[in-house]
Amino acid sequence: AACDGKHTLDEIVLSLQRVGVNVDPAQARQLTLYLAESKRVRLRPILTASDIRAALRRAGVRRGATLMVHSSLSRFGYVAGGPATVVQALRDALGPCGTLIVPTHSGNVLGAPPYDPRTSPATTGAIPEYFRKLPGVLRSPHPTHSVAALGPRAAELTAAHRPDLTPMAREGFWGRLCDVGGDVLLLCPIRSATIFHAGEAWLDLPQRNLIAHAVDERGRRQVYVMPNAPWHVDHFAKHLAAPLQRKGIMTVTPLGESEIYLAPAREMAAISVRDLARHPEHCLGKEGACPCKYCDALKEGLARG
C-alpha cells in the first residue's frame, strides 16, 4: 500500500522496518531502478517548496490577492513536507496582505452528524484538512460546502457563507469572492472548480434541495433546507475552462506531472452564467444520459419551462 506514489523509497523502507521486515536501502534502490528501467514501476518527481513557489509566480498569483485554492496533494508528484509545504508556499506567494481560502466541504446532510466548524473534518483532501487546523484560520458556518480562510478578508468572506443559503448563493461567499476581485487557483483537476456551479444557482435552475444540519455558536442543532444544490461537473472543462484558456483569462502552468490553473473568480462565474443561460442542459451528467435524481429534477423543470 505504501507503493502508491505518495511516499519516497526511504519512507517505504522505514515502514517495512517498523513491521519487522529488514530491507537493505542500497538493495532497495537498486531494485527500484531496475523496475523503473524495465517499465514495471514509474518514478514520480519530488517537489520542493521552491518548485511550488516558482510555479505560482509563473501562473500569476499576486501578492496581496484574495485566493481560493482547490488542491490535490498527490497530483503533481511527491511533495516533500506534505500539506505544510504547499500551504507555506501559498502564504509566501500571497504575502501578509493576502487572504488564502480553501474549500473544506463536509457534506453534513441529514443522516450524517451535524456540521461543527470546529471539529467536522474536511472532505476535500489533506491540504484543506491541515489548513483548517492552523492558528488564526476561520471557517464558515455552511453545513455542506464550508470554506476556511486566513488573512485580512477571512472574517468578511466566511461570514458571508451563511448556513441558510444555497451553497452557491449570489449573496453568499462565492458572490462576495467575485465582488472583492478574488482569484481561483486549481492545484487539481478542473472538475474541482466549485465556482463553475455559479450559473446553476444564479440562474435559479430547477434542482433538488439539500436538507442539512449544523451546530450553531450556542451548541444548538439547526436544520436548513437549501435549494439549488450543485451536482455534476461534466461540462466544466469543455464548456467553461477551455474558452477562458483560449482567451488567456485562465492561465495554465506546468508543475511536476500535471498543470495548475488560475483565473479571476468573476470571470469563472460569469462564463458559467452565460453558458447555462443558453444551454442549461450542460449541467446534466453524462451529456444528459445520467439517471440520478438531480438530473431528473432538472429535466422535469426544464420541460415545464
Side-chain angles (χ1 to χ4, degrees):
C3 300
D4 56 0
K6 300 179 181 181
H7 301 84
T8 64
L9 180 61
D10 288 343
E11 289 174 340
I12 294 170
V13 168
L14 287 174
S15 69
L16 290 171
Q17 291 174 346
R18 281 194 290 268
V19 296
V21 180
N22 291 320
V23 179
D24 178 68
Q27 290 183 345
R29 283 192 288 273
Q30 185 177 3
L31 174 61
T32 301
L33 290 173
Y34 166 76
L35 292 173
E37 289 171 359
S38 59
K39 301 189 184 304
R40 297 181 186 180
V41 299
R42 179 170 61 88
L43 300 182
R44 306 192 72 197
I46 296 177
L47 302 176
T48 66
S50 61
D51 295 325
I52 298 171
R53 285 194 296 268
L56 296 176
R57 286 194 300 271
R58 293 195 302 271
V61 173
R62 300 171 292 124
R63 288 185 67 81
T66 299
L67 186 68
M68 161 58 81
V69 180
H70 300 270
S71 58
S72 169
L73 183 61
S74 62
R75 183 169 177 80
F76 305 95
Y78 175 85
V79 177
T85 295
V86 179
V87 170
Q88 189 58 55
L90 289 164
R91 295 180 69 180
D92 291 344
L94 292 173
C97 295
T99 298
L100 176 60
I101 316 151
V102 303
T104 55
H105 301 175
S106 53
N108 293 89
V109 296
L110 293 186
Y115 169 66
D116 187 330
R118 297 163 297 182
T119 60
S120 293
T123 62
T124 47
I127 294 171
E129 179 63 10
Y130 167 81
F131 179 76
R132 76 171 181 87
K133 299 175 182 178
L134 291 179
V137 170
L138 301 179
R139 195 175 183 189
S140 71
H142 200 280
T144 61
H145 289 70
S146 62
V147 300
L150 180 65
R153 292 193 179 274
E156 169 192 0
L157 290 167
T158 54
H161 210 203
R162 289 167 32 201
D164 58 318
L165 295 175
T166 182
M168 299 301 302
R170 179 62 183 86
E171 65 271 34
F173 163 75
W174 290 100
R176 189 67 187 139
L177 181 67
C178 294
D179 293 340
V180 301
D183 295 324
V184 175
L185 175 68
L186 302 175
L187 302 175
C188 61
I190 288 171
R191 64 177 178 268
S192 297
T194 304
I195 197 166
F196 277 150
H197 285 295
E200 299 164 43
W202 298 6
L203 294 169
D204 199 27
L205 295 184
Q207 294 185 309
R208 294 176 63 94
N209 294 341
L210 281 180
I211 303 177
H213 56 165
V215 175
D216 66 17
E217 64 277 3
R218 296 184 182 180
R220 300 171 301 186
R221 175 177 169 273
Q222 304 289 345
V223 177
Y224 305 96
V225 178
M226 293 174 291
N228 297 102
W231 196 246
H232 287 303
V233 299
D234 299 17
H235 61 297
F236 283 5
K238 178 180 179 181
H239 297 294
L240 306 181
L244 293 180
Q245 292 170 18
R246 287 195 295 269
K247 295 177 181 178
I249 296 171
M250 174 178 281
T251 62
V252 182
T253 304
L255 174 61
E257 295 178 331
S258 190
E259 298 169 329
I260 65 178
Y261 311 92
L262 178 73
R266 185 182 294 112
E267 297 288 349
M268 295 176 75
I271 197 169
S272 174
V273 172
R274 289 196 302 270
D275 181 74
L276 294 182
R278 296 191 297 266
H279 302 286
E281 70 279 4
H282 281 173
C283 63
L284 293 169
K286 301 179 181 178
E287 297 186 350
C290 177
C292 79
K293 59 186 178 181
Y294 292 89
C295 289
D296 286 344
L298 180 58
K299 290 175 185 175
E300 292 171 6
L302 293 177
R304 290 194 302 268

